Amino acid sequence: MTEQTCFRCGARTPPYDIVNAASSDGTYRLLCSGCFNEDMAQWADIVGFEHPQFTPVRLLDADGDSHEFHFRSLLLGDQISLEAFELAGNDESEGYRFQILDESQSDPFVLLGKLVQKMMRALSVKHLHEDASGLQVAGTMVRGRIEWDGVEDGRLPCVVIDGKRVEWNDFGAILMAFEGWQFRLELLDPSDEA
Ligand SMILES: [Zn+2]
């Protein structure tokens, strides 16, 4: 994981906690979430905003495996976004990721509590299981996240299911167990509950 330098305070910052922010002259600068929020509080006239920082947490999934999550809070005008990132290997497209949005004045610890409950609900369900013939859908419902597959000039997604990256072709092969079935695809904002 490559750390980057905050343009404002010079802090070496992991990529999940840095924002590419537009400035008034139209250029983009990398800011750590603390500096981004300070700017945003000033711009949105929010007096006394304190940048919430949370220590990482470990949560267990349905198989008893442990997942470590790091948090990022971003002030977005009259809303605050709290995100949780699982750092899974070097690939930023992997791992579980969660977001919750609320009013900017809301208590950050209440927000954290809501986000952790959402994370625990998601971690308690596994949508894929692996047997001798490979990955299979465990029931008839799959929840996940769409990511870019990372291939330059490529236009194909990969999907992240149960926090694990599944290539588009492999996802197609998994679905062949349901040849002839119908499906319903609904796209949800990252802060919604899938
Ligand atoms: Zn900074």
Side-chain angles (χ1 to χ4, degrees):
M1 191 174 44
T2 323
E3 291 192 325
Q4 287 172 302
T5 305
C6 173
F7 177 85
R8 175 77 46 78
C9 71
R12 299 289 291 159
T13 311
Y16 64 83
D17 201 28
I18 207 143
V19 187
N20 200 4
S23 59
S24 49
D25 62 6
T27 57
Y28 281 81
R29 301 165 311 185
L30 292 175
L31 294 181
C32 71
S33 58
C35 289
F36 176 87
N37 286 349
E38 206 173 293
D39 274 9
M40 183 60 78
Q42 213 165 22
W43 179 81
D45 269 335
I46 298 172
V47 181
F49 177 79
E50 276 187 46
H51 175 59
Q53 272 180 305
F54 301 110
T55 50
V57 299
R58 284 184 164 276
L59 298 175
L60 297 181
D61 66 21
D63 296 336
D65 293 326
S66 166
H67 299 262
E68 184 177 321
F69 290 95
H70 295 244
F71 296 99
R72 173 173 75 177
S73 55
L74 291 180
L75 191 55
L76 307 168
D78 58 357
Q79 287 196 306
I80 188 160
S81 155
L82 182 61
E83 293 159 282
F85 297 86
E86 183 188 11
L87 307 183
N90 286 321
D91 190 339
E92 284 163 42
S93 70
E94 277 206 60
Y96 284 100
R97 194 176 297 177
F98 299 99
Q99 185 190 23
I100 196 165
L101 284 173
D102 211 334
E103 291 170 12
S104 59
Q105 311 287 358
S106 53
D107 182 334
F109 283 95
V110 173
L111 204 58
L112 178 69
K114 283 188 197 165
L115 181 63
V116 169
Q117 281 176 7
K118 179 178 175 177
M119 292 157 71
M120 287 168 72
R121 282 194 295 274
L123 286 168
S124 69
V125 182
K126 289 273 173 143
H127 297 94
L128 298 179
H129 71 92
E130 193 152 18
D131 63 18
S133 53
L135 278 176
Q136 310 284 338
V137 177
T140 54
M141 159 77 92
V142 181
R143 294 182 180 86
R145 190 174 78 242
I146 302 166
E147 291 283 352
W148 173 48
D149 70 356
V151 177
E152 285 300 333
D153 301 325
R155 297 174 60 83
L156 287 179
C158 65
V159 289
V160 180
I161 303 166
D162 299 342
K164 291 200 179 75
R165 174 177 165 144
V166 180
E167 301 304 327
W168 194 241
N169 281 344
D170 296 336
F171 187 51
I174 291 169
L175 293 182
M176 279 307 286
F178 297 90
E179 188 182 356
W181 288 48
Q182 308 183 79
F183 72 93
R184 181 171 55 210
L185 179 65
E186 188 179 2
L187 299 165
L188 302 165
D189 183 88
S191 64
D192 284 339
E193 184 137 2

